[in-house]
Structure formats: C-alpha cells, structure tokens
Amino acid sequence: MSRSLRLSRRLILTTTLAVALAPLVLASAPARAQDTPNAILNASYDIARELFDAVNKQFEPAYKAKTGKDLKVNQSHAGTSKQARSIVEGLEADVVTFNQITDITFLVDKGFVAKDWQTRLPNAASPWYSFPAFLVRKGNPKGVKDWDDLVRDDVKLVFPNPKTSGNARYTYLAAYAYALDKFKGDEAKADAFAKKLLSNVVVFDTGGRGSTTTFVEREQGDVLITFEAEVIGVKDAYKDKGFEVVVPPTSLLAEFPVAVVDKVVDKRGSRQVATDYLTWLYSPEGQKIAAQFNNRVVDPKVAEEFKAKFAPVKLVKVEDVFGGWDKVQKTHFASGGKLEELFVAP
Amino acid sequence: MNRVIPGFSLSLGITLFYLSLIVLLPLGALVWQAVDVGWERYLAIMSGARTLSAFRVTLSTAALATAFNAVYGLALAWVLVRYEFPGKRLLDALVDVPFALPTAVAGLALSALFVKNGWFGGPLDLLGIQVAYAPLGIAVAMAFTSIPFVVRTVQPVLEDLASDVEEAAATLGASDTRIFLRVIFPAIFPAFLTGASLGFARSLGEFGAIIFIAGNLPLKTEVVSLLTFIRIEEYDYPAAAAIAATLLGLAFVMLFAVNMIQLWQQRRIGTGD
C-alpha cells in the first residue's frame, strides 16, 4: 500500500471523527456565552412582540444614560404556557411578562419565582391591563353589541383555542362571568351559554395572532374576540377594511403580570438589571408606550392623556366572580374540567 | 467489501451511537413516560370522546391523502422517468419542495388558497365543497407534505426496470393494461408500498401544515398531534405521552406490516410465479 494512500486514510479517519464529534462540541458552546449579564431575556406572550420592541428601544438608551452600561434586552414570544414550560425546562429568561397569572403560578410551584412576586411591584405586579373586546366587519352588519349577541345562531365567531391560548381563556371566562350575572348565578344556564359560545366558533387557532389572521386575511366569521389592545391595533392596521371595535358594556379584567425569574437571575447575577427593567415599565415613559399600543395603563396621568382612545367599560375581576385563579384553574381549565366538558359536547 | 471509510468497528460504533442518541433515546423517553401512566389511566385517556375522534379524523384523512398520493405520485414518477420534455428537471426538483419547506409555511399557503376568498376555495365553494377548515383541508395538507415519499421511492425502481421485458410482453401480444398490471406493477410494488406507507406514517404525525387549515374544532377537525400539543399546554404530560406513544405504536405496526408484505412479495417473485 502506498504511503499517500495510508496518509489519506488517516485523514479520512480524523475527519470522520471530527465530523462525528462536532455536534457535541457545538452544543456545549452557547451555555458559556450566556454568562455575561449585559443582556437579559424577556419571555413574553404571543402578541406583545411589537410592544416590547418599542419598550426595549427606549429602555436600552435610558439604562445606558443612567448607569453607563450597555444592555441588550432579548425577546422571546410564544404562548405563555409554552414559555413557562420552556423556562422550567431550561430557557434562561430573566423576566417574564405574561398575560395571565396561572402561568406565573406554575413557575412559583416549580420554584423558579418566589411566592411573594405580586407584592414586589405596584398594582399586584401588573403594569397595564386589557380585557376581551370584539372586532366586527365594516358597518357591523350583524349588529353585535354585547355578549348576548355572540350566542345567536346567525353569528359566527373567531377566537383562539382556550386550551392553548391564555387570551381565549379570558374570553371564555368573560362570557361565563357575563352569563352568571345574567342568570343570577344559575350555573347550568351559564354552562349552556358558554357551550353555545364555543359552538359558534368557526376556527380555533392555537394563538391570538393566528385568530387575527383567520378573521382578517381569511375572512372567516363575523366577530373576532381578543384583547382590546389587539382589537384596536387590528382596526388601525387595516384601515381600508373598515373594521369596527365593539367594547361590550361589561368584560373581564385581564391583568398582564410581570415577574423576575428568581432562579435565573440568582444564577446569572442579573437581579438588579432585571428589576430595573420591570420597574421601568411603570415609569411614565413605559406607561406611554403601553398606552400607544392600546393597553389600558395604571398611571393616572398617562391614563388621562389617552382617555379619548378608550370606550367606557365595566370590568369584573376573576377574584370576585370565580374566587381566584387557583380555583378557576382547577374547576375550569384542568384536564377533565368544565371547559373540556363544554368544549367537546356536540 | 467496500472500505472507503476505514474501520468497520469504528464506523459501526459511530453509527450505533448516533442512532441511539438521535432516534432511540427520545423514543425510549416517550415510551417510558407513557408506561408511567399506568394501564387504567391509559385506557381512560384513550377512550375519551375527544381522543377517539382525533384518531378517527387523523386516520381517515391520512388514508384519503395516501390514496391520492398513491395514484398521483405514481403517475408523477412515471412521467419523470419515461418522458422527455422541457422543464423536466425543474419538475423533478419541485417534487422535493414539500420536504424543504417549513410545514407551517405550507399550511399558511394552502389555507390562503383554499379559503372562500382564495383562488381555489372560491370556485370550490360555488360547487358546495368546503376544503379549508374542514376534514378535506387536513387531507390536502397531508397530501402536500407526503407526496415526495411515493415519487422518490418509485422513481429509481422504474428507472432500473429494463424495457426489454415490456417489449417481450408486447411481442407476445399483451395489451398495455396487461403489461402494466402483470409486468411493471409487480416490479415496482414493494417500492410503491414503502413510499405510500411512509407517506401515511408522516401524515399521521403532521402538525405544522395542518393546524393552519384544519379549523381545529374539537370532535370535528382536531388531529392527534394537536391534541397531544393541547395536553402539554394543560401541563398534562401523562396524557400527552400516552397519546403520542399510541401514535408511535401505530406507525411501527404499519412499517412492520409493510416489511412483511415486501418479504412475502420477494419470496413469491424469487420462486417464480
């Protein structure tokens, strides 16, 4: 056997080994790169991408001006249940900005967020809020005004799957709360109301944005039900289509809770900057951005400034109607709960 | 022996190591989680109305998609092998697009086409056929993502098929239909079956393309992969594992059956029919 052939054979052998082992080496690399706390990760919900884009664009220079340090806030958006799961499974998010409390409770149960998280920031750790509202087609041809209209036979609805979307869980609870009030607490009648509402839905997407696409681009259904913030946003984005916003007289308060992920910030040494970030959301600048993106805010001055934008509404709280999120989770949303029963019944 | 890459034991070692790491380990973890559920709970999960309906929807639409692909995929492979025409290489390349494309993009594109205000959906709606947000839409998405399986398994076998056997049959007076059924089809049957069943198995698990076009209505257009996803969203890992493991089992049974049929076919041809 010639020498060159033996040489090439060794070359092949080393190359094979290198190729075979390369994925292992590559896979271990990113873990080291994350040690520097000049970047933090915000894990957030599906339809808040543009909002936090704008927030970060103002926060980063403000932080630099105040502390002299560079900071990059990275964003991750998906359904909040998925985000909570990812964090438990190893996604190193320093802060979470969710659209419902139950998914933070999940992180509390798993030891990622301290129990007292709601007392560490103002307004039970919710810098802004919204509620389920309706978007209807030009001229409101079906004359939709209130929750009652949504259970009519001739009205077809689009909202995401309450099993995969926090957004839709608010819609379901808002309708249920409305029915409980209307039928003076008669649960059987409220069940029937919620069941009819669910059966009027023509397409269940897995998230809020999917439903918006289905309603706007695919022209399915008469009413899109989603957070008021998204409803106004869609109306403005598609001016030529002439959509109209319908704010029902009553709806359910949707708090958008935020929290520092204790386990992650302790490990990465980013507690201070993560807390600064969340606190900034309560500043007039942060509140203004949230209001510009059609959220209702807690700062009275900023709220007054944007008053003309929002229709009056009476909001009921989960705590008052259902006795808290823990109870809602158990009786309505858990596997085999009420939602499952009403959702599948033909 | 072909020994371009040196060291049989080294190559085999690397092969087995990575096969275990990439394929066997995740599947093992899944089965292990499902076993953890327990027999009684498993039966309760699987006999739920929603689970049964999801399996019924998935299996029937996958069968429909596979039937379509079996006929159309075979025709496509035939045209690509037997005819010369301008744009043939482009067509050949296009066959692989469903593999290369993110399935979610395929789902978005298909639903845009098949809704009532879409190019295909409009005319079909006039005929009273609803595709998007109906079971038919699921079948369309499945057919799209699994068509390359049939074409790419049948194509090389057709290419290898010597035309002298056909000519011999023709000179003996066999009709075209008879030649196809008695000469060509038996030769390509194992590959055809493999392609169709791989396509079927792929359809069973397809998620990305389907959820955009299915409508996802429980008991009507909810597929198994979405139900698995929903159970995970509910933090109900055991139910998700049980459903997924059942789907895995179905796919395995099918691949096993196909292997058996191929074995039987080889023996039959080997001994002379």
Side-chain angles (χ1 to χ4, degrees):
Chain A
M1 194 176 284
S2 80
R3 213 171 147 251
S4 68
L5 189 64
R6 226 176 299 148
L7 190 74
S8 74
R9 193 171 268 192
R10 186 176 300 158
L11 190 73
I12 291 169
L13 187 73
T14 12
T15 318
T16 315
L17 264 178
V19 169
L21 295 175
L24 292 179
V25 179
L26 286 176
S28 64
R32 259 177 285 131
Q34 275 181 1
D35 288 341
T36 44
N38 56 8
I40 58 169
L41 178 63
N42 172 12
S44 189
Y45 54 99
D46 208 15
I47 59 179
R49 191 181 305 273
E50 296 82 3
L51 167 63
F52 282 104
D53 259 342
V55 164
N56 296 343
K57 261 197 202 99
Q58 282 206 25
F59 175 74
E60 285 163 5
Y63 185 82
K64 169 101 173 162
K66 199 176 133 211
T67 64
K69 281 184 222 153
D70 280 312
L71 179 74
K72 173 95 184 76
V73 184
N74 293 312
Q75 295 170 256
S76 160
H77 294 274
T80 53
S81 301
K82 182 162 177 280
Q83 296 287 44
R85 254 193 345 268
S86 303
I87 289 167
V88 170
E89 282 158 12
L91 176 73
E92 295 204 318
D94 303 88
V95 297
V96 290
T97 51
F98 282 176
N99 56 19
Q100 57 167 1
I101 289 170
T102 43
D103 290 318
I104 298 191
T105 312
F106 176 72
L107 290 175
V108 173
D109 292 344
K110 296 281 173 184
F112 279 76
V113 173
K115 276 202 179 69
D116 65 344
W117 67 275
Q118 279 193 299
T119 63
R120 293 192 293 201
L121 287 161
N123 194 41
S126 272
W128 51 76
Y129 62 97
S130 198
F131 56 88
F134 315 151
L135 188 72
V136 296
R137 302 201 180 276
K138 196 174 189 169
N140 195 1
K142 297 280 167 95
V144 173
K145 292 267 173 285
D146 202 352
W147 293 97
D148 257 343
D149 297 313
L150 304 187
V151 296
R152 271 161 39 193
D153 283 332
D154 64 325
V155 174
K156 293 292 162 219
L157 315 175
V158 174
F159 61 85
N161 193 326
K163 286 286 181 183
T164 59
S165 159
N167 180 335
R169 260 169 269 183
Y170 278 114
T171 296
Y172 163 80
L173 288 178
Y176 202 92
Y178 171 85
L180 275 180
D181 184 54
K182 176 181 165 148
F183 299 117
K184 312 264 181 295
D186 187 332
E187 261 193 49
K189 282 185 181 161
D191 283 357
F193 187 92
K195 193 157 135 184
K196 180 71 178 130
L197 182 94
L198 289 167
S199 71
N200 270 357
V201 175
V202 282
V203 176
F204 283 112
D205 287 285
T206 50
R209 263 303 145 76
S211 280
T212 300
T213 307
T214 300
F215 182 79
V216 172
E217 302 282 350
R218 312 276 182 261
E219 297 181 8
Q220 299 292 309
D222 307 305
V223 190
L224 170 73
I225 311 160
T226 182
F227 292 130
E228 185 199 37
E230 172 91 348
V231 167
I232 299 177
V234 174
K235 185 202 72 177
D236 292 346
Y238 292 90
K239 278 209 169 66
D240 54 318
K241 296 220 181 190
F243 294 128
E244 290 176 24
V245 173
V246 175
V247 173
T250 63
S251 192
L252 188 84
L253 172 70
E255 289 168 302
F256 290 2
V258 300
V260 165
V261 184
D262 294 273
K263 202 169 174 177
V264 173
V265 294
D266 285 345
K267 185 181 160 201
R268 299 187 62 228
S270 54
R271 178 175 291 277
Q272 190 54 51
V273 49
T275 310
D276 287 350
Y277 181 65
L278 293 186
T279 311
W280 192 83
L281 299 178
Y282 290 87
S283 71
E285 295 85 3
Q287 294 275 293
K288 248 180 216 172
I289 296 174
Q292 277 156 9
F293 281 85
N294 313 313
N295 295 284
R296 302 208 179 195
V297 295
V298 295
D299 184 305
K301 264 194 205 144
V302 180
E304 186 62 32
E305 192 183 323
F306 286 87
K307 204 177 167 193
K309 195 172 185 175
F310 300 111
V313 63
K314 180 179 165 254
L315 295 178
V316 295
K317 284 182 154 188
V318 165
E319 286 74 16
D320 301 338
V321 183
F322 299 99
W325 278 105
D326 278 351
K327 214 170 155 201
V328 165
Q329 183 65 24
K330 275 190 204 103
T331 50
H332 286 269
F333 298 136
S335 218
K338 189 161 258 177
L339 172 60
E340 180 114 344
E341 194 185 302
L342 302 173
F343 202 14
V344 298
Chain B
M1 282 307 275
N2 191 342
R3 307 216 319 170
V4 177
I5 297 177
F8 170 70
S9 48
L10 180 67
S11 320
L12 186 71
I14 291 175
T15 309
L16 287 181
F17 175 68
Y18 274 99
L19 187 69
S20 310
L21 203 67
I22 295 167
V23 180
L24 293 180
L25 216 61
L27 293 186
L30 176 66
V31 172
W32 185 73
Q33 268 203 324
V35 167
D36 228 27
V37 173
W39 190 239
E40 240 170 72
R41 177 88 204 280
Y42 174 80
L43 280 183
I45 291 166
M46 292 311 298
S47 62
R50 202 161 164 199
T51 319
L52 286 178
S53 137
F55 271 96
R56 201 187 58 236
V57 169
T58 310
L59 288 170
S60 59
T61 49
L64 189 63
T66 307
F68 174 81
N69 277 350
V71 176
Y72 175 64
L74 192 61
L76 195 54
W78 182 263
V79 166
L80 285 175
V81 171
R82 290 299 172 101
Y83 300 101
E84 284 303 327
F85 52 92
K88 176 175 159 172
R89 300 205 26 198
L90 183 70
L91 185 69
D92 198 34
L94 275 179
V95 171
D96 285 329
V97 166
F99 275 170
L101 201 67
T103 53
V105 174
L108 270 175
L110 288 173
S111 65
L113 275 181
F114 282 100
V115 287
K116 279 178 191 147
N117 59 345
W119 291 350
F120 296 170
L124 284 170
D125 190 51
L126 290 178
L127 299 171
I129 303 168
Q130 196 195 350
V131 178
Y133 312 121
L136 207 51
I138 302 176
V140 167
M142 286 172 169
F144 179 86
T145 53
S146 62
I147 183 78
F149 282 109
V150 179
V151 182
R152 290 296 184 234
T153 47
V154 171
Q155 209 176 359
V157 184
L158 267 181
E159 265 161 9
D160 283 350
L161 207 61
S163 57
D164 53 356
V165 195
E166 269 171 70
E167 280 158 17
T171 46
L172 289 171
S175 67
D176 284 351
T177 325
R178 202 172 155 80
I179 293 175
F180 180 77
L181 287 179
R182 302 291 292 175
V183 178
I184 299 172
F185 194 69
I188 60 169
F189 181 72
F192 171 72
L193 192 68
T194 308
S197 48
L198 282 176
F200 185 77
R202 163 72 188 259
S203 297
L204 287 184
E206 181 53 39
F207 177 77
I210 291 173
I211 55 163
F212 288 99
I213 198 173
N216 309 320
L217 299 171
L219 300 182
K220 288 191 192 114
T221 51
E222 190 172 68
V223 292
V224 175
S225 50
L226 176 65
L227 188 62
T228 314
F229 177 70
I230 285 174
R231 292 300 181 232
I232 293 174
E233 288 288 307
E234 293 169 342
Y235 303 122
D236 190 352
Y237 294 90
I243 295 169
T246 309
L247 204 57
L248 182 68
L250 268 178
F252 262 132
V253 166
M254 245 190 40
L255 294 181
F256 183 72
V258 167
N259 265 318
M260 286 290 111
I261 296 174
Q262 283 184 346
L263 209 66
W264 167 77
Q265 167 91 359
Q266 271 169 4
R267 255 192 231 130
R268 203 175 56 108
I269 290 176
T271 54
D273 188 28

